[in-house]
Amino acid sequence: MSRRSVVIAGVGGQGLITIGSVLGEALMAKNYNVSVGEIHGLSQRGGSVAVFLKYGEGAVSPVVTQGEADLIVGLELIETVRRLPLLKRDGSVVVNDFLLPPPASKSIPTRGELLSNLSRVKSYVVDARELALKAGSEIAVNMVMLGAALATKILDLDIPDIENLLSKRFKGDVLRVNMEALRLGYQSIKE
């Protein structure tokens, strides 16, 4: 049985908590021991948010220490680069090509500087907003990123595991959009 550590990084309002809970529930359905922890910034919208998820045999703590993460799923570039020290040497990053500068910051790195930091590790850059819009709603960016994360094959889950869970959580058009966003995110890494 695998033992993995995942960090989901971004800002408030991007659906990081939803990604963490969907992953956690899907892994528990496959009989893994799962632990999920969250760090919220001062602001619910736009503040720094990180979700830590660990799973495997025996007791697992949600704390992901420096150099331990197998995968970082980043929904915003600055927050993703901020969490890079947590990535293990052979870990991977899946990142949304989206920059939301902090409003009170005097010095903001450019998109090019942030992508340069990511080029030092195995990383996949996804235009999640474009794919979410193609699926039917910008709100589905988190499902695009979840699909992209699955495509790395680092997690012990596949598309049907998540589709099964989404069909229990959502109905109607919301379900259709989330399913399409998940599929488009998955294909963006596989192509």
Side-chain angles (χ1 to χ4, degrees):
M1 184 177 270
S2 298
R3 190 173 183 104
R4 299 267 190 241
S5 298
V6 180
V7 176
I8 306 163
V11 295
Q14 290 191 294
L16 288 83
I17 307 294
T18 300
I19 293 175
S21 68
V22 167
L23 281 176
E25 286 183 41
L27 287 162
M28 284 190 292
K30 295 187 86 170
N31 295 319
Y32 286 102
N33 291 327
V34 179
S35 185
V36 180
E38 304 157 358
I39 296 175
H40 301 251
L42 293 175
S43 170
Q44 289 200 343
R45 286 236 175 247
S48 177
V49 175
V51 177
F52 303 98
L53 182 145
K54 290 171 90 173
Y55 68 92
E57 290 181 333
V60 290
S61 158
V63 177
V64 177
T65 59
Q66 188 166 343
E68 185 183 19
D70 297 284
L71 177 66
I72 295 176
V73 181
L75 278 74
E76 195 279 330
L77 286 167
I78 293 173
E79 294 303 321
T80 303
V81 170
R82 184 190 316 256
R83 302 295 176 185
L84 280 180
L86 298 174
L87 190 67
K88 66 172 43 172
R89 186 177 298 263
D90 62 343
S92 295
V93 177
V94 178
V95 62
N96 180 16
D97 191 3
F98 173 69
L99 175 61
L100 181 64
S105 181
K106 292 180 182 173
S107 175
I108 299 167
T110 66
R111 177 182 171 275
E113 291 168 334
L114 294 164
L115 290 175
S116 176
N117 279 307
L118 291 167
S119 69
R120 297 182 194 137
V121 298
K122 185 175 182 180
S123 60
Y124 305 90
V125 180
V126 179
D127 187 346
R129 181 178 183 273
E130 178 185 315
L131 295 175
L133 288 171
K134 188 174 180 181
S137 173
E138 186 175 4
I139 295 173
V141 162
N142 62 342
M143 289 300 119
V144 170
M145 294 307 296
L146 180 54
L150 293 177
T152 65
K153 299 295 184 190
I154 292 170
L155 303 171
D156 294 285
L157 295 168
D158 212 334
I159 288 282
D161 300 316
I162 301 299
E163 287 176 335
N164 184 40
L165 191 63
L166 293 180
S167 66
K168 293 176 184 170
R169 282 183 164 217
F170 303 104
K171 301 287 180 222
D173 206 42
V174 175
L175 176 61
R176 183 195 59 75
V177 169
N178 282 333
M179 293 283 212
E180 180 67 6
L182 184 75
R183 187 184 59 77
L184 289 171
Y186 188 90
Q187 289 174 348
S188 73
I189 298 296
K190 285 297 177 190
E191 292 174 353

